[in-house]
């Protein structure tokens, strides 16, 4: 835990943001003896390709990169239709408001895209994530195997919209 942090979240734009996001993923997911350089390069290429798709595919995700004092500490992907995935927070700053800010940022991106809800998939055994999403007002339903679908209404559907 600790005091809440002053978190700045912006959409990933350009090579430096993509590199910082890829480096964060490597820091969080690679073991110390893994070859972090290769994982970072692979993630950077993936992020760069996905960012270039946003212009031609509204379903392509927008990446939000959270920084504290200029250091990348969190990342999330969200589509314009409200599907949120790959919420990542540096272990050094967990339980200090970074994930909550990333969720709030994702809600705004989804609202701007016209989404009715923000939704995601989470393992039912990921107790910390389930508790976080519950605390933010998400509702859960079984999805597939040990996976739950969590959803949060953003607005009411208007006549003729899918519900």
């Amino acid at each position: 835990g600790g005091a809440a942090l002053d978190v700045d979240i912006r959409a990933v734009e350009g090579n430096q943001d993509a590199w910082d996001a890829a480096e964060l993923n490597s820091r969080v997911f690679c073991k110390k003896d893994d070859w972090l350089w290769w994982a970072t390069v692979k993630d950077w290429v993936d992020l760069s390709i996905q960012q270039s798709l946003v212009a031609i595919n509204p379903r392509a995700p927008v990446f939000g990169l959270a920084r504290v004092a200029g250091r990348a500490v969190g990342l999330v992907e969200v589509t314009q239709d409200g599907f949120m995935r790959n919420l990542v927070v540096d272990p050094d700053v967990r339980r200090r408001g970074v994930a909550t800010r990333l969720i709030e940022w994702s809600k705004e991106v989804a609202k701007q895209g016209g989404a009715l809800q923000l939704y995601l998939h989470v393992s039912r055994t990921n107790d910390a994530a389930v508790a976080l999403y519950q605390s933010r007002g998400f509702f859960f339903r079984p999805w597939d195997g040990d996976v739950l679908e969590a959803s949060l209404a953003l607005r009411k559907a208007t006549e003729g919209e899918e519900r």
Side-chain angles (χ1 to χ4, degrees), residues 9-12 21 62-66 74-78 102 105-106:
I9 302 174
R10 296 189 185 156
V12 170
V62 176
F63 295 85
L65 184 62
L75 181 68
V76 67
E77 295 177 53
V78 63
L102 286 165
W105 184 87
S106 297

Side-chain angles (χ1 to χ4, degrees), residues 7-8 12 21 33 45 52 77 79 90 95 99 101 106 130 149:
V7 180
D8 177 48
V12 170
D33 57 351
V45 170
S52 66
E77 295 177 53
T79 60
D90 186 317
R95 304 194 59 80
R101 289 287 316 281
S106 297
V130 169
E149 181 176 74

Side-chain angles (χ1 to χ4, degrees), residues 9-27:
I9 302 174
R10 296 189 185 156
V12 170
E13 293 180 355
N15 288 340
Q16 187 60 54
D17 284 347
W19 183 260
D20 291 346
E23 191 275 330
L24 170 67
N25 267 338
S26 295
R27 227 175 36 239

Side-chain angles (χ1 to χ4, degrees), residues 32-162:
K32 294 292 182 201
D33 57 351
D34 283 347
W35 193 27
L36 295 178
W37 175 254
W38 176 246
T40 300
V41 169
K42 181 198 169 301
D43 284 346
W44 178 80
V45 170
D46 291 347
L47 283 162
S48 298
I49 290 169
Q50 286 182 306
Q51 281 303 104
S52 66
L53 292 175
V54 170
I56 58 172
N57 178 4
R59 183 85 169 100
V62 176
F63 295 85
L65 184 62
R67 294 180 185 274
V68 171
R71 181 173 184 251
V73 296
L75 181 68
V76 67
E77 295 177 53
V78 63
T79 60
Q80 300 295 311
D81 63 354
F83 184 62
M84 187 179 87
R85 66 182 179 198
N86 298 330
L87 177 66
V88 176
V89 175
D90 186 317
D92 292 342
V93 297
R94 288 187 181 156
R95 304 194 59 80
R96 297 186 61 195
V98 176
T100 297
R101 289 287 316 281
L102 286 165
I103 292 168
E104 293 301 314
W105 184 87
S106 297
K107 284 169 51 177
E108 290 307 311
V109 169
K111 280 182 192 176
Q112 290 170 11
L116 296 174
Q117 65 179 346
L118 188 64
Y119 64 102
L120 58 96
H121 297 147
V122 61
S123 170
R124 70 177 70 237
T125 61
N126 187 341
D127 296 334
V130 169
L132 170 68
Y133 298 131
Q134 280 179 324
S135 76
R136 305 310 311 157
F138 283 80
F139 293 94
F140 296 87
R141 69 181 183 102
W143 182 251
D144 182 33
D146 78 338
V147 176
L148 299 171
E149 181 176 74
S151 62
L152 177 68
L154 299 175
R155 63 181 180 85
K156 292 188 188 276
T158 58
E159 192 173 324
E161 275 187 309
E162 274 188 42

